[in-house]
């Protein structure tokens, strides 16, 4: 660490990172960004290599009481049962209809991805996109009763803005389904769809009436974008490790280690959900990541200690306002 | 076409597109670029959606008498036989050692990809990258006796510069192996490795001495980046169709049709290798693409008619000068 070399412009920080409490985490972030982006720094890294990777669920937006993607599927399954009542006695529809929380709270993000396959497969890509957009337009977060597009953590949005001001290339590296997350990435985070690396449903090119048509298949592209899959897909899509990455769970550990083990300066960051009052407090599924953070002395972003607000007070631009 | 709306600034064209003869192709390109990038145009497309996709072999650099990637493999196989003389009687080493042109000239880009697997698999990614870089440092094109990094078509380099001047996002969409092409994409074309979409060898994340290590496997990521695979991979990596694409063979036809069949303005371009004197004249493998070009009235780039020079006269910056 070279804190003494790169004094922080407090005014600039406070301007962009207004929702962060002053403290060691904010200080570490600002020092790192200054170190790699100052032309006169011995640790200068050119903008093309200034890659930042953000997990999404639990890192950029709220993942409790359920993954947003899971809520989307539940809604879709209810609609299917309304159309075809005989599905009421068949799993997984049965669990969804009976609101069997034990059944679906035990699901991993991979299992959710597989349910997405059952929910919406063999449909044209465009039809799926319309379903996802309608969901974001119509649905509210079950706990906060606000649109999901307002469920981003305000300090994390500021961090992305701060990194962009310093010419970082920002990627979402999410266990969620790529084309689901793409529908909100541009509006919520300012991340273009080309910078969303997720778990992808296989796409097949078909021809309908002499025109090409992308159709969603019943299988996922290997590897799923979780754990080691995040590192493999970062290589496939970006071709180099991020110098800054942020995650909140064991599924982000490989990405954080990939960020750690490189010759260039790097900053792995782990978000800890420790704010029972303003959000949800849980370490379940983050045990290994927290152990590694201690071992490598990573900076932990404590939501309780580091965030002045959790969510933005102003309503976010709604996802369906996007013109694409 | 709206030629009459967007008068071409001839001076600007001649500056950037100096190696293009004036004619209908150059005119069509300039008109299209002006139409989609002028703020006051009814056909204006914002920079984020101004995607241009370029095939590589035969579109950006010379693919005759053999794919560059094939020449790399031959060289590697010779080295292997020198180390292990017993391989001399085993195919495909035998054909390579005996310079059996019939054997390897019959290969498709997919078969070349599969030979790459045999040549360099189960090796760490970094080791492969070193081999590829050494090849570009040491080898000359068998016909022109110049480094392969000087084998880009000068007018195509100018076209990429011209598109960048108008804020297009440029991607290579190549049948070649992603990490092979990545080693020259930045230096030759100014295309960052994150914008190289190719046929990819499967990568596995292993741990050596507690550090993550990317290791190349013996299989390819499906689909290979040729024919319909180009469209699928454009969706996976970019998430939207290109508005401008350039190819030269049947393997590019699906990408050109994907460019054609969209509501936004679009410009599919097909390069025809018709200059026997300065390069190589061949239509083999481009028959269907040429038929489609006639059917859809696409602009054909004739190397003979449209290119003032084929190659740059100044030596290109050598690939091994790249610092990464």
């Amino acid at each position: 660490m070279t804190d003494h070399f790169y004094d922080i412009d407090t005014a600039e920080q406070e301007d962009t990172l207004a929702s962060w409490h002053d403290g060691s985490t904010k200080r570490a972030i600002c020092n790192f960004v200054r170190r790699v982006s100052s032309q006169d720094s011995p640790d200068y890294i050119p903008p093309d290599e200034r890659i930042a990777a953000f997990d999404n669920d639990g890192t950029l937006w709220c993942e409790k009481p359920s993954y947003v993607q899971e809520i989307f599927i539940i809604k879709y399954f209810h609609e299917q049962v309304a159309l075809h009542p005989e599905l009421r006695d068949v799993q997984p529809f049965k669990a969804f209809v009976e609101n069997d929380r034990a059944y679906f709270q035990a699901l991993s993000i991979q299992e959710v991805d597989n349910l997405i396959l059952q929910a919406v497969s063999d449909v044209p890509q465009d039809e799926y996109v319309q379903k996802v957009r309608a969901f974001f337009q119509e649905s509210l977060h079950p706990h906060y009763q606000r649109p999901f597009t307002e469920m981003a953590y305000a300090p994390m949005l500021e961090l992305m803005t701060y990194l962009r001001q310093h010419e970082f290339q920002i990627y979402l590296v999410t266990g969620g389904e790529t084309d689901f997350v793409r529908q909100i990435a541009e509006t919520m985070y300012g991340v273009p769809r080309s910078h969303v690396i997720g778990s992808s449903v296989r796409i097949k090119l078909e021809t309908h009436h002499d025109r090409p048509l992308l159709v969603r298949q019943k299988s996922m592209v290997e590897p799923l974008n979780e754990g080691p899959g995040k590192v493999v897909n970062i290589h496939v899509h970006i071709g180099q490790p991020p110098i800054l990455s942020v995650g909140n769970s064991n599924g982000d550990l490989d990405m954080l280690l990939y960020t750690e083990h490189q010759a260039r300066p790097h900053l792995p960051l782990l978000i800890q959900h420790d704010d029972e009052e303003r959000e949800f407090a849980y370490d379940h599924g983050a045990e290994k990541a927290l152990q590694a953070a201690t071992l490598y002395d990573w900076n932990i972003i404590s939501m309780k200690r580091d965030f002045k607000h959790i969510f933005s007070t102003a309503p976010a631009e709604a996802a369906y306002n996007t013109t694409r």
Side-chain angles (χ1 to χ4, degrees), chain A:
Chain A
M1 287 294 153
T2 54
D3 286 38
H4 53 294
F5 277 120
Y6 301 97
D7 287 337
I8 299 158
D9 179 336
T10 310
E12 180 197 5
Q13 268 184 59
E14 285 184 356
D15 187 39
T16 306
L17 300 176
S19 304
W20 290 73
H21 281 298
D22 288 323
S24 61
T25 312
K26 181 173 176 176
R27 191 169 188 82
I29 291 169
C30 294
N31 272 335
F32 175 76
V33 169
R34 196 65 57 90
R35 265 175 76 202
V36 300
S37 61
S38 302
Q39 290 271 4
D40 58 348
S41 162
D43 293 326
Y44 177 78
I45 293 177
D48 270 0
E49 299 180 42
R50 236 175 271 163
I51 309 287
F54 287 82
D55 170 54
N56 187 35
D57 292 305
T59 296
L60 291 178
W61 73 359
C62 182
E63 65 179 353
K64 296 290 176 189
S66 313
Y67 296 118
V68 180
Q69 195 173 300
E70 200 174 320
I71 297 169
F72 164 72
I73 299 164
I74 293 170
K75 194 176 158 78
Y76 179 78
F77 276 32
H78 276 291
E79 289 168 7
Q80 287 302 98
V81 171
L83 286 172
H84 311 285
E86 68 277 13
L87 292 175
R88 189 176 287 274
D89 298 320
V90 182
Q91 285 290 27
F93 297 97
K94 189 167 183 290
F96 287 115
V97 172
E98 293 172 358
N99 200 12
D100 179 356
R101 287 184 165 264
Y103 180 90
F104 55 80
Q105 279 191 349
L107 297 178
S108 69
I109 187 76
Q110 289 94 328
E111 289 165 321
V112 170
D113 283 333
N114 279 318
L115 284 172
I116 278 234
L117 287 180
Q118 296 184 40
V120 271
S121 58
D122 288 330
V123 298
Q125 174 63 22
D126 288 350
E127 199 175 300
Y128 173 72
V129 165
Q130 291 318 314
K131 277 190 213 298
V132 174
R133 291 190 174 184
F135 167 77
F136 281 112
Q137 196 168 353
E138 296 158 3
S139 310
L140 297 178
H141 189 280
H143 180 77
Y144 296 99
Q145 293 296 315
R146 290 173 66 178
F148 292 105
T149 47
E150 295 178 13
M151 288 293 101
Y153 304 134
M156 296 306 287
L157 293 178
E158 290 173 4
L159 176 54
M160 295 170 101
T161 301
Y162 181 69
L163 293 174
R164 264 187 218 106
Q165 285 169 350
H166 291 84
E167 294 181 82
F168 276 69
Q169 321 296 320
I170 295 179
Y171 286 83
L172 301 191
V173 182
T174 172
E177 201 270 323
T178 309
D179 288 310
F180 183 81
V181 178
R182 272 179 175 163
Q183 303 319 313
I184 49 86
E186 288 174 292
T187 322
M188 285 184 72
Y189 308 128
V191 172
R193 61 192 89 176
S194 59
H195 283 45
V196 176
I197 303 173
S199 298
S200 293
V201 167
R202 273 193 192 286
I203 297 284
K204 192 180 170 196
L205 178 64
E206 295 187 0
T207 305
H208 285 230
H209 304 295
D210 283 333
R211 299 171 72 93
L213 186 76
L214 298 179
V215 179
R216 295 168 69 82
Q217 305 295 292
K218 276 186 197 282
S219 62
M220 301 292 290
V221 174
E222 292 286 338
L224 290 185
N225 205 47
E226 194 69 0
K230 290 202 172 189
V231 175
V232 170
N233 288 324
I234 284 171
H235 177 74
V236 171
H237 286 258
I238 313 177
Q240 59 186 317
I243 59 166
L244 183 153
S245 64
V246 198
N248 77 306
S249 77
N250 298 336
D252 301 314
L253 179 53
D254 289 293
M255 175 172 80
L256 295 167
L257 288 169
Y258 187 47
T259 308
E260 170 74 27
H261 288 288
Q262 62 182 313
R264 296 181 295 194
H266 47 264
L267 188 71
L269 294 164
L270 186 68
I271 292 189
Q272 189 167 27
H273 289 268
D274 54 3
D275 195 326
E276 198 168 13
E277 217 164 288
R278 297 184 299 174
E279 206 229 9
F280 298 88
Y282 56 99
D283 278 349
H284 180 68
E287 301 85 350
K288 288 180 190 174
L290 284 162
Q291 274 171 23
T294 304
L295 183 66
Y296 289 103
D297 201 21
W298 291 337
N299 289 281
I300 290 180
I301 301 172
S302 155
M303 295 182 74
K304 188 170 187 167
R305 204 177 55 230
D306 290 316
F307 288 1
K308 280 188 196 162
H309 336 277
I310 304 285
F311 303 107
S312 172
T313 44
E317 187 187 352
Y320 52 86
N321 281 345
T322 179
T323 55
R324 282 168 266 167

